[in-house]
Amino acid sequence: MLSDQELLRYSRQILLAQVDIDGQLKLKGSRALIVGLGGLGSPVALYLAAAGVGELHLADFDTVDLTNLQRQVMHDTSSIGMSKVDSALARLQAINPEIALVAHRTVLDEDSLAEAVRAVDLVLDCSDNFGTREAVNRACVAAGKPLVSGAAIRLEGQLSVFDPRQPHSPCYHCLYGHGSDAELTCSEAGVIGPLVGLVGSLQALEALKMLAGFGEPLIGRLLLIDALGSRFRELRVKRDPGCAVCGDRHG
């Protein structure tokens, strides 16, 4: 059940008919893995913690650098040189001491990533490189766990939800294939801070919808964000029956 403190803390979202007490209890009983605690992972972790997702698993092997602070709003100047996970732990515990936090401070290899994914109900990919996104996708397909994937670079963002429990849901590999060797990172191409905040906030929203069971998640849809022109566009995405990752999961 929810304590009096929890009822007060979450009262504004409990007032929503789509959430109510039942939805809040679902959030309290949920576990989510956040891969990457940078520009995307910051709003994701902050909003999921504030919303009362019962157990957050935090994965990042990096440390806080001065160049991060322009967009990675979970960290501050006093965090420079700290593990991003430790910086996040302190901030999230201050925001909501009611939730449990699980730390992954090292690079997750294939086995440890598979174990981390199996331990949760939903995964949020907030990483900044294609190799990690592919590895997280494979682990989610193998474990049958939904994946909320976001990306942002320069002045463009993307967001989608992949759910291997749904027979018609594509996976990340269906959409992006093997990627490109020429893929750029934010440190090479740049990115505007509010854009990653927007994409990360939308990732958090999609996660709350999935975990509490309301609304229409972005499954089979790709949301494209043009920050320069303040435009949003949506594309339908179909599952590839011949996909090397998820192609044979139902047959």
Side-chain angles (χ1 to χ4, degrees):
M1 299 299 293
L2 298 172
S3 68
D4 290 344
Q5 280 289 100
E6 289 172 316
L7 289 170
L8 188 59
R9 180 183 288 273
Y10 309 124
S11 58
R12 297 303 186 269
Q13 65 191 29
I14 289 173
L15 283 171
L16 297 171
Q18 294 88 347
V19 179
D20 207 348
I21 295 292
D22 288 343
Q24 192 62 53
L25 285 169
K26 289 178 182 177
L27 294 179
K28 182 176 181 178
S30 296
R31 302 160 298 166
L33 169 64
I34 304 170
V35 181
L37 299 172
L40 299 174
S42 288
V44 163
L46 293 170
Y47 277 119
L48 294 189
V53 175
E55 191 172 294
L56 294 180
H57 295 228
L58 311 173
D60 201 308
F61 61 87
D62 204 359
T63 57
V64 180
D65 184 83
L66 178 61
T67 60
N68 300 150
L69 302 186
Q70 163 257 358
R71 64 200 178 281
Q72 301 183 16
V73 295
M74 185 155 52
H75 315 296
D76 57 35
T77 304
S78 66
S79 304
I80 293 174
M82 288 179 61
S83 156
K84 286 185 181 179
V85 168
D86 289 335
S87 174
L89 289 173
R91 183 76 183 277
L92 299 178
Q93 285 168 345
I95 287 175
N96 191 353
E98 304 279 355
I99 65 171
L101 300 170
V102 178
H104 299 278
R105 296 181 181 86
T106 57
V107 177
L108 294 174
D109 61 20
E110 185 176 353
D111 291 338
S112 58
L113 178 58
E115 183 178 352
V117 168
R118 286 195 299 267
V120 298
D121 304 300
L122 177 141
V123 178
L124 298 109
D125 184 354
C126 303
S127 64
D128 64 354
N129 67 88
F130 185 78
T132 300
R133 293 172 189 148
E134 273 280 89
V136 170
N137 177 66
R138 287 194 300 271
C140 287
V141 170
K145 305 288 180 161
L147 170 63
V148 182
S149 178
I153 196 164
R154 295 192 178 108
L155 290 155
E156 299 177 349
Q158 299 183 3
L159 176 75
S160 192
V161 176
F162 308 106
D163 190 350
R165 302 170 302 179
Q166 306 295 325
H168 301 295
S169 172
C171 77
Y172 182 87
H173 191 82
C174 291
L175 183 57
Y176 294 102
H178 293 285
S180 169
D181 292 336
E183 182 193 13
L184 294 175
T185 64
C186 293
S187 63
E188 298 165 320
V191 67
I192 195 74
L195 175 62
V196 290
L198 173 61
V199 175
S201 296
L202 288 170
Q203 284 184 268
L205 177 60
E206 290 300 307
L208 293 177
K209 287 158 60 179
M210 295 284 287
L211 294 173
F214 68 92
E216 182 185 354
L218 273 170
I219 298 171
R221 296 182 289 150
L222 175 66
L223 185 66
L224 302 174
I225 302 168
D226 170 13
L228 192 61
S230 296
R231 294 182 176 89
F232 291 76
R233 190 159 58 102
E234 181 183 297
L235 300 178
R236 290 284 176 177
V237 182
K238 293 184 178 180
R239 177 173 170 251
D240 177 8
C243 175
V245 176
C246 73
D248 60 353
R249 71 177 188 244
H250 296 291

